[in-house]
């Protein structure tokens, strides 16, 4: 069990391939490493964040340059949000989400959208995201919700 005291979490911008260390066991367990690749991973505008504890990568999140047909404006898609099981519920997911948001705002992103797994929906609601429409099934992965977070800017 993870002991929080005396351990400092460090956030870094990393490459998409570095995220596989967490994407694979958390989101693609039992599947080939190639399944960890997401379309848009390698675009120069895509952002990958890693959370380290004493040099160990324990959480990742990717903010990919990808448009959703329902939305207008400068968009990003959140993918690969994952924290290793033994480190979950310690605030690391929130740290990754908040750090991503900060960088998206610096780039004047209008909307962050994503397909949220049903089990993670309440985590995203806590990050003030909104569900759009009805849940839907993604084959082999389960029920999902389209969720968004909108950003506005004063002139
Ligand atoms: C979803 C996930 C990234 C959240 O990361 P985390 O580090 O465990 O989350 P945090 O500790 O930062 O949680 C922030 C808040 O959300 C809550 N929360 C976290 N995961 C939750 C969940 N699955 N359901 C409900 N609430 C959750 C926490 O209790 C906390 O609430 P609090 O501030 O009131 O205490 C992590 O649980 C995970 O990797 N899950 C498996 C992979 C997955 O489903 N990824 C999402 C794909 S869409």
């Amino acid at each position: 069990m993870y002991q929080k005291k005396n351990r400092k979490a460090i956030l870094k911008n990393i490459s998409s391939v570095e995220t596989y260390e967490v994407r694979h066991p958390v989101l693609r367990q039992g599947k080939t490493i190639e399944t960890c690749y997401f379309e848009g991973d390698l675009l120069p505008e895509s952002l990958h964040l890693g959370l380290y504890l004493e040099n160990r990568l324990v959480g990742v999140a990717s903010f990919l340059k990808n448009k959703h047909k329902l939305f207008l404006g400068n968009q990003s898609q959140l993918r690969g949000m994952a924290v290793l099981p033994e480190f979950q519920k310690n605030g690391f997911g929130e740290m990754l989400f908040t750090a991503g948001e900060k960088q998206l705002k610096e780039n004047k992103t209008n909307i962050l959208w994503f397909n949220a797994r049903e089990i993670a929906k309440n985590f995203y609601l806590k990050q003030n995201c909104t569900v759009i429409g009805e849940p839907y099934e993604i084959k082999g992965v389960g029920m999902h919700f389209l969720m968004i977070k909108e950003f506005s800017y004063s002139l």
Side-chain angles (χ1 to χ4, degrees):
M1 189 63 183
Y2 164 67
Q3 296 285 312
K4 205 167 190 176
K5 59 180 179 201
N6 299 330
R7 295 235 239 161
K8 196 165 175 264
I10 293 177
L11 282 160
K12 288 186 198 169
N13 285 49
I14 59 176
S15 70
S16 59
V17 171
E18 285 173 295
T19 69
Y20 292 6
E21 202 176 315
V22 178
R23 276 186 191 175
H24 194 237
V26 181
L27 298 169
R28 295 290 183 268
Q29 200 178 34
K31 299 191 177 159
T32 63
I33 199 79
E34 287 77 17
T35 63
C36 291
Y37 169 76
F38 299 147
E39 197 179 335
D41 261 349
L42 299 172
L43 291 173
E45 306 94 329
S46 292
L47 162 71
H48 306 278
L49 294 179
L51 188 141
Y52 290 81
L53 280 179
E54 289 166 354
N55 295 324
R56 178 167 177 204
L57 183 63
V58 303
V60 296
S62 296
F63 301 83
L64 308 180
K65 203 70 199 166
N66 194 11
K67 272 189 185 297
H68 190 289
K69 59 180 186 244
L70 281 183
F71 311 121
L72 295 171
N74 187 3
Q75 302 175 28
S76 266
Q77 178 184 13
L78 172 60
R79 290 202 72 181
M81 173 91 223
V83 174
L84 293 176
E86 63 268 41
F87 298 97
Q88 291 175 6
K89 301 271 170 81
N90 283 290
F92 299 142
E94 186 162 307
M95 282 172 74
L96 285 158
F97 190 93
T98 307
E101 257 184 300
K102 187 168 175 276
Q103 294 196 35
L104 294 179
K105 286 184 196 161
E106 283 163 13
N107 296 333
K108 296 279 184 281
T109 300
N110 301 108
I111 194 156
L112 174 65
W113 66 272
F114 47 97
N115 298 305
R117 289 180 182 204
E118 193 169 22
I119 52 158
K121 186 180 107 183
N122 288 336
F123 165 75
Y124 294 120
L125 290 175
K126 288 204 167 166
Q127 313 311 315
N128 295 315
C129 300
T130 311
V131 173
I132 305 286
E134 296 299 317
Y136 46 91
E137 178 86 15
I138 297 185
K139 227 178 155 190
V141 196
M143 293 303 280
H144 282 72
F145 294 81
L146 174 61
M147 296 188 77
I148 60 166
K149 185 148 187 184
E150 286 183 275
F151 308 114
S152 53
Y153 304 93
S154 47
L155 293 174

